[in-house]
Amino acid sequence: MTRDGPRIDVPPTLGDRLARGVESESFVQTFHVEADLPNVIFAASRPETILFDGSVTLRDDAALRADRTLSAGTVYSVVSQRVPVTSETLRAQGDLGQRFSPAADEQWLRPFLEIPESTSQRTLDLAAELRDDRSTYDTIRAYEAWIATNTVYDLDAPIPAPGADAVDDHLFVSQRGFCEQISSSLVVMLRSQGIPTRLATGYIPGDRDRISGVWEVRARHAHAWVEVWFPETGWQAFDPTADVPLAGETDRGSVGGDVLTAAIGSVAERPVEIGAIVAAGAGVTLLLRRWKASVARRRRGRWGALHDDVLGLLDLVPADRRPAVPTAPAIADAVGRELGPEEASMAGRVAERLDRVIADPTFDATDDEVYAETRRDVAAIRRRLAELSRTASS
């Protein structure tokens, strides 16, 4: 469904309804767009209100799409309802594998219980061996611990052999992977035990400015993680690549928090005036706390890192020919003007794929051949730009 702003109410999506008596808390994010972006509206889990000057399409899978690309200077706010879960909250919900199966009565759950036909027997055996009958929460932690002990985080992980199952290859063959491979392995292991699970992609909080309290999120912060559905508290995120505290077990204070908390109460009555609040300096994103500095370095998705490489191409373009807004298409155009039509076509292909990673839900970002080809294109463009730069300076 599509709804018009400036105030847009967001109904609960699949799995977002909470059990009776479960409390939640308002969680406010204000996004300041610094460079042109696709039409993705970012939000924390369970968004309930969007303040946006335009229309937004609300999808059943909780994805939010604006009616236009988000140009630099765009500002929008999202109010979400966050459940302050703790390990005990999740542990108390027991072993979900005893309650659900691929033949579950809840029709909407079935897609989140399916596993690929290529799933190997040793993957299934490992999941069954590590399963903790006390609770699904303990099972998740057991799987995460095994993956952390027996595999290595590596952005340059090798591509599986033709016909090989990607999860089996990650767990038992290469034992190397980045966030998509690690999270995919956790998803398949959990689903094999009858636990409703999905793979989510987006961004980690980024780097916080200590003075303003604002979080700066860049392409390199792209990430993938796992979400497990708990009957009482809904979808709960787990990150097998880092130690991230649960919402109810982290310090949620930050600079500007009191101002934004006060703004929540006026959202319903003053949807337009919220812009004045933002302009007054209340644009502080309240995201998860206590992110370790090392986590940001380890959790960069490979497509996010590749996007950074594309941005780095501008260093080889004369300053007066660089685009004012360094979007992937603008960079492709600049490369074409410098090198010619062949390189322009190559750069255009790279730009299209980088944009689709963010904006197109049908794009398969796990396709290793497409990623490898894109990476080769970027490397070839860099070599030719470097050669041109050396020739011009000699």
Side-chain angles (χ1 to χ4, degrees):
M1 74 181 73
T2 299
R3 296 189 174 181
D4 299 328
R7 175 195 168 98
I8 300 170
D9 293 326
V10 183
T13 57
L14 294 177
D16 277 347
R17 296 186 185 278
L18 304 178
R20 181 175 299 178
V22 174
E23 297 181 355
S24 62
E25 58 188 12
S26 292
F27 179 76
V28 181
Q29 296 168 288
T30 296
F31 296 86
H32 298 255
V33 179
E34 297 294 330
D36 289 356
L37 292 173
N39 65 336
V40 179
I41 296 290
F42 295 102
S45 181
R46 300 182 190 84
E48 64 174 9
T49 303
I50 302 172
L51 300 175
F52 177 74
D53 186 17
S55 300
V56 175
T57 298
L58 317 174
R59 298 190 347 185
D60 288 341
D61 61 0
L64 306 170
R65 295 287 188 272
D67 57 353
R68 61 179 183 276
T69 56
L70 303 182
S71 58
T74 299
V75 178
Y76 65 91
S77 295
V78 182
V79 181
S80 301
Q81 285 298 315
R82 179 173 63 174
V83 180
V85 297
T86 65
S87 55
E88 292 309 312
T89 302
L90 300 179
R91 187 174 280 119
Q93 296 182 58
D95 183 357
L96 304 186
Q98 296 179 358
R99 306 169 65 172
F100 306 113
S101 70
D105 292 336
E106 293 83 353
Q107 293 284 340
W108 72 269
L109 276 178
R110 293 185 179 181
F112 305 108
L113 293 166
E114 297 174 352
I115 60 175
E117 293 182 0
S118 62
T119 302
S120 67
Q121 186 59 48
R122 56 182 173 181
T123 297
L124 300 176
D125 291 342
L126 176 65
E129 177 186 347
L130 296 176
R131 176 174 175 169
D132 193 321
D133 293 335
R134 292 176 300 173
S135 74
T136 287
Y137 176 79
D138 290 301
T139 295
I140 295 169
R141 292 311 189 195
Y143 289 173
E144 289 179 330
W146 191 94
I147 291 173
T149 301
N150 295 278
T151 69
V152 177
Y153 187 98
D154 185 357
L155 287 175
D156 295 316
I159 298 174
D165 178 79
V167 170
D168 180 271
D169 182 84
H170 169 243
L171 294 176
F172 304 107
V173 182
S174 73
Q175 296 187 306
R176 296 159 58 194
F178 35 84
C179 57
E180 288 96 335
Q181 291 171 310
I182 296 171
S183 295
S184 295
S185 296
L186 182 57
V187 167
V188 170
M189 292 174 69
L190 289 168
R191 287 188 180 184
S192 75
Q193 301 303 300
I195 299 170
T197 312
R198 66 186 183 187
L199 181 67
T201 58
Y203 293 85
I204 61 173
D207 304 312
R208 187 184 182 195
D209 186 307
R210 291 189 176 184
I211 304 301
S212 67
V214 173
W215 295 84
E216 298 178 351
V217 182
R218 304 181 184 278
R220 67 175 180 268
H221 297 119
H223 193 48
W225 60 93
V226 174
E227 293 183 346
V228 177
W229 188 72
F230 287 80
E232 295 180 12
T233 50
W235 292 106
Q236 173 61 47
F238 291 90
D239 188 345
T241 69
D243 181 17
V244 182
L246 297 171
E249 298 176 345
T250 182
D251 175 16
R252 296 184 293 280
S254 74
V255 177
D258 292 340
V259 177
L260 282 177
T261 299
I264 297 170
S266 65
V267 164
E269 295 80 12
R270 300 178 179 179
V272 178
E273 286 84 347
I274 192 70
I277 298 176
V278 173
V284 180
T285 305
L286 304 183
L287 299 173
L288 298 176
R289 299 291 166 255
R290 296 164 60 190
W291 291 85
K292 299 179 180 179
S294 60
V295 171
R297 292 191 297 271
R298 294 180 59 227
R299 296 166 57 191
R300 293 174 59 179
R302 60 177 181 173
W303 284 98
L306 188 59
H307 191 282
D308 284 353
D309 289 342
V310 173
L311 290 175
L313 295 176
L314 289 179
D315 294 337
L316 300 173
V317 174
D320 61 342
R321 301 176 192 172
R322 296 173 189 172
V325 179
T327 61
I331 295 172
D333 183 65
V335 168
R337 290 198 302 271
E338 287 297 305
L339 298 178
E342 179 182 352
E343 289 78 13
S345 176
M346 189 183 301
R349 181 169 60 242
V350 171
E352 177 195 15
R353 290 172 180 174
L354 289 174
D355 278 351
R356 290 186 66 193
V357 167
I358 299 174
D360 185 356
T362 67
F363 182 74
D364 183 8
T366 64
D367 190 321
D368 292 321
E369 292 185 7
V370 171
Y371 171 76
E373 180 186 52
T374 308
R375 188 172 179 177
R376 287 194 297 270
D377 286 345
V378 173
I381 293 170
R382 177 176 290 279
R383 285 195 300 272
R384 295 175 192 179
L385 282 173
E387 291 170 0
L388 182 62
S389 178
R390 287 196 295 270
T391 300
S393 60
S394 62

